[in-house]
Structure formats: structure tokens, C-alpha cells
Amino acid sequence: MPSPPGPYVTGLTCRECGRPYPAEALHVCEYCFGPLEVAYDYEAIASVTSRERIAAGPTSMWRYADLLPAESTDPVSLGAGFTPLVRADRLAAELGLGELWVKNDTLNPTGSFKDRVVSVALTKARELGFKVAACASTGNLANSVAAHAAHAGMQSIVFIPSDLEEAKIVTTAVYGGRLVAVEGNYDDVNRLCAELAGEHPTWAFVNVNIRTYYAEGSKTLAFEVAEQLGWMVPDHVVVPVASGSQLVKVHKGFDELHKVGLLDEEPHVRVSGAQAAGCSPVATAFLEKSDLIRPQKPKTIAKSLAIGNPADGWYALDVIRSTGGGVGSVTDEEIVEGIRLLARTEGIFAETAGGVTIATLAKLAASGVVRPDERVVAYVTGLGLKTIDAVSPHVGPTVTIPPSMEAFAAFMETESGR
Ligand SMILES: *Cc1c(COP(=O)(O)O)cnc(C)c1O
Ligand SMILES: [Zn+2]
């Protein structure tokens, strides 16, 4: 009998002082206010897990259930994860790189990587007895929470900045939960939600009181890439940074694979971050060689990354520095050019966050931080249809003609001259 998939969680530990806590809806240490982290019995996992066991699992992120912190026999899942890893030779040639891959996470159920973290968060929330799913969101998280809550038959109440893209509002509201648009930026929304979480302990705020579990979902971005590369790790990954959680967990994911014996060699993955110039607290601290992440007031079209006071900013900076990566930041124009470059070279249409990743990759390649002798993976985390306004002024029909053969022939005539 194969052992059942299940959480090998031993509890929670404070990332700062190491104090242990039970695996409940806790997220900060009572003693030092450090963030809590899920602790696993890696020996037990190593004794049950194998490449074969994973290959025989579902074609979703839940194939890595042994390394996730929730009961996986019936997860809250719309099928997130196991997205394509696309070899990007044409983009690599444009950027002067060698072996480049794009992790196409635009293909998740609600069009962003947030489905991974939400699937874990709501599975755990349901396990802990919560009936209401909530979140503070820059857009994609609200979208994903509303969809997964609808699917799980949970109530939802999600909070967004009121100036979000229309597509993100519509694609969230359609699921029928409560959608609260707050007049302010994400950091205002987040502050409000931190207070509300205290008032409403029966609400599962996925990125507040359930954050410890939620964040673990991002590790599957590393697990999948390693499996898709034939159980090898890349030399260098480029990850977009909002709160910094995803970047930190991608790094942790590669490490854990080694800990449980799924890799042949110890991984040495350089981790680089990507930010918008209009919201670049981590990139700025890196440039200034400072340990202090100074909060910024965001002003960028990359709204899904617009967190001016990133909860995991310091930890992201630490991963970037300790792995020998870099961080770049890119302007709104460069973001749009990044979206168009990825689309025209690889046929992948990303939202502004994906434009940030690709434009930053281009910068890091030009400055020699990302090198042509490296196997590189760029994480493209959201779908272009969500931020269509970013590119709609720049693209359109090649020509508009009357329905006649002559008109088309005349158009082809001008084309052949090009
Ligand atoms: C939220 C988000 C990110 C970054 O997430 P953090 O873990 O907060 O850094 C990246 N890309 C997209 C599309 C997102 O919605
Ligand atoms: Zn502590």
C-alpha cells in the first residue's frame, strides 16, 4: 500500500527566534513579532516521496502534496499548477542568452500564479474550520480567492484598491462574493485588512492569518520547473517581486527538493528579482547596498506588483544577495515593450507583471548579471487579458479595408514594399 499523501507538518516556527507553535491559524511570533514558517518532518517525507510517486500524482500542483501543508485527499482546487515550461529560443536570441525557459503561469484557472497560493490557503482554511475566505489584494489574489471560494462553497469577502483595471474587477465580481473596493493603494487595503482580521477571527484572510500556509503554495513553482527539466534545477531564475513571498518560496522549493532526496546534486540556483521602477523598494535597497527596505508610494501600470511596503522584502533581498542574483526595475514603457517582446517572440501574452519580468530579464542580461552560459527560467505569472489597457494603445489591426479583392491586393502591394 502506498502511504497516503498528506501533510508532514510538525508545526510552525518563528523565522526569527525559532520558537515553535502549533499548526493553527497563526502568522506572527508572540515574542518577537517575526513571521511564522511551516515546519516539516523532512526525514519522513524523504522516506515516502519519489520521482515515480510524484509522476503518478494528479496533473496539478497537488502532485507535490507531500511538501504542502494541507490535507490533500480533497483539496480546494480548480486545477492550478503544472503549467507549461516553454523553451524560449527566439526570446533568448533577442536577449543574447543561451538556454532560456519561460514558466507560463498565465495558464492557471484564473489567469495568475495566485491560484497556487489560494488553493493551499483555502484547503487549509477549510481544514481549520473557516467558512469565510477573505484577502487584501492587488487584484489577482481577490480574483483567485473569489473563484476558489465559489468552487468550495465558502463565502468570500475580498478587498482591492478601487483604481484597479476593469478586467480584474469584473473577473472577480462575477463569482458573486462580496468585493470591497477601498479608496487607497494596496498598503492602505492591507492595513485595513490587518485590523479586520483581528475583529473577525472567523474569517480566513489568506494573506494575513493564513499567510504562513498560503505562502507555501509558491514552492510548487520551483518543484514543477525541476521536474519539467528532468529533475534538474536551473542556474538562474528571474522572479517578479510584490510582497517578495513568491521569490523567497521559489528558492525554498529548490532547497526542499534536495532535502527530501529528489535531486542528484545540491542546487545552486541564482535568484534574481524583477520590479517596476514605480514600485521598487527591494531593487532600491539592493542598489543602495542597504538592509533597510524603505516603503514607497507605488505609481506603476504593474498594479499586481504595486506593494510599497513588502512584507517579505527583507527576506527576498537576503535570498537575492546570498544566491548571487540581482534585482532590476523597469519603467512603464519598458514593461509594455516586455509584454510585446514576449508575445512576438514566443506567442505568450502576459499581463504587466510578466512585462516586468521580461523587461528586467533583458536588463539583467544586458548588464551581464544573467549570463548566456546559464540555464535560465523566467517566471511569467499573469495573463495579458487582465491588463489589456496596457497594450491596447500600441497595437491594432495592420490595416482596415473594404470587403473587396482590389482593396486587399492594394494592401498586399504596400506590404511587399516593406
Ligand atoms: C502577486 C503577484 C506576484 C508576486 O507575488 P508576491 O509573492 O507578493 O511577491 C507576481 N505576479 C503576479 C501576476 C501577481 O499577481
Ligand atoms: Zn519569534
Side-chain angles (χ1 to χ4, degrees):
M1 272 291 285
S3 49
Y8 294 90
V9 173
T10 57
L12 307 177
T13 15
C14 174
R15 251 194 293 195
E16 292 300 323
C17 75
R19 273 196 174 77
Y21 289 85
E24 289 164 11
L26 302 168
H27 64 114
V28 281
C29 177
E30 294 173 15
Y31 295 91
C32 74
F33 302 105
L36 301 183
E37 173 96 357
V38 180
Y40 298 86
D41 182 347
Y42 290 114
E43 262 178 47
I45 299 172
S47 71
V48 294
T49 198
S50 67
R51 296 176 183 178
E52 295 72 29
R53 175 174 155 99
I54 289 166
T59 49
S60 77
M61 56 182 275
W62 288 96
R63 65 206 273 110
Y64 311 103
D66 292 338
L67 285 159
L68 293 175
E71 193 54 64
S72 65
T73 39
D74 181 27
V76 176
S77 173
L78 291 165
F82 217 60
T83 55
L85 182 69
V86 179
R87 178 78 188 235
D89 286 337
R90 291 165 49 75
L91 178 58
E94 290 254 354
L95 302 182
L97 291 174
E99 184 180 339
L100 174 63
W101 301 82
V102 170
K103 182 60 170 164
N104 184 2
D105 239 34
T106 71
L107 293 177
N108 276 307
T110 73
S112 89
F113 107 97
K114 290 294 196 302
D115 291 330
R116 296 175 184 273
V117 281
V118 169
S119 184
V120 172
L122 291 199
T123 300
K124 188 66 192 180
R126 202 172 58 178
E127 204 179 299
L128 292 168
F130 287 96
K131 306 264 187 300
V132 182
C135 68
S137 175
T138 57
N140 288 327
L141 184 59
N143 191 339
S144 185
V145 166
H148 283 82
H151 183 70
M154 295 173 82
Q155 294 177 40
S156 69
I157 178 157
V158 299
F159 297 81
I160 54 169
S162 59
D163 71 345
L164 273 194
E165 299 94 342
E166 193 191 355
K168 283 187 185 153
I169 294 173
V170 173
T171 54
T172 301
V174 72
Y175 298 109
R178 281 166 291 177
L179 170 58
V180 182
V182 178
E183 290 160 353
N185 61 29
Y186 172 80
D187 299 287
D188 299 319
V189 175
N190 194 38
R191 217 164 20 244
L192 174 64
C193 287
E195 287 179 46
L196 284 170
E199 284 280 299
H200 298 276
T202 60
W203 294 1
F205 272 94
V206 301
N207 57 341
V208 184
N209 52 350
I210 309 294
R211 186 176 180 86
T212 312
Y213 305 98
Y214 153 98
E216 292 285 292
S218 290
K219 294 186 309 189
T220 59
L221 283 165
F223 300 159
E224 286 176 20
V225 161
E227 186 182 0
Q228 288 167 319
L229 290 173
W231 294 106
M232 305 271 281
V233 298
D235 299 311
H236 204 145
V237 293
V238 179
V239 187
V241 174
S243 73
S245 173
Q246 178 183 168
L247 183 144
V248 171
K249 296 293 178 170
V250 164
H251 177 248
K252 181 183 178 190
F254 290 123
D255 250 26
E256 281 191 344
L257 290 180
H258 182 246
K259 267 195 182 133
V260 301
L262 288 165
L263 299 176
D264 295 330
E265 286 167 27
E266 196 181 324
H268 294 285
V269 184
R270 299 173 70 202
V271 181
S272 285
Q275 292 207 297
C279 183
S280 55
V282 176
T284 304
F286 182 83
L287 255 184
E288 293 173 351
K289 298 188 165 46
S290 162
D291 273 341
L292 192 71
I293 310 268
R294 276 182 290 112
Q296 295 183 359
K297 213 172 172 66
K299 193 174 181 317
T300 167
I301 58 169
K303 292 183 181 173
S304 55
L305 301 181
I307 298 184
N309 189 10
D312 290 283
W314 188 86
Y315 296 102
L317 195 57
D318 188 47
V319 166
I320 292 162
R321 283 186 180 140
S322 66
T323 63
V327 206
S329 63
V330 289
T331 65
D332 285 356
E333 291 72 36
E334 290 168 326
I335 293 168
V336 171
E337 186 39 45
I339 294 173
R340 297 182 66 189
L341 176 63
L342 179 64
R344 75 168 179 268
T345 54
E346 298 299 338
I348 296 169
F349 182 25
E351 69 145 279
T352 45
V356 168
T357 298
I358 298 303
T360 301
L361 170 66
K363 271 200 177 164
L364 294 175
S367 63
V369 176
V370 176
R371 301 190 312 256
D373 62 324
E374 291 180 306
R375 172 187 285 163
V376 181
V377 172
Y379 285 96
V380 171
T381 48
L383 182 65
L385 293 175
K386 291 189 174 222
T387 61
I388 203 145
D389 291 352
V391 279
S392 55
H394 305 283
V395 298
T398 310
V399 68
T400 303
I401 57 165
S404 78
M405 294 296 282
E406 295 75 31
F408 184 68
F411 161 63
M412 287 306 282
E413 197 71 16
T414 63
E415 281 288 283
S416 63
R418 295 217 280 169

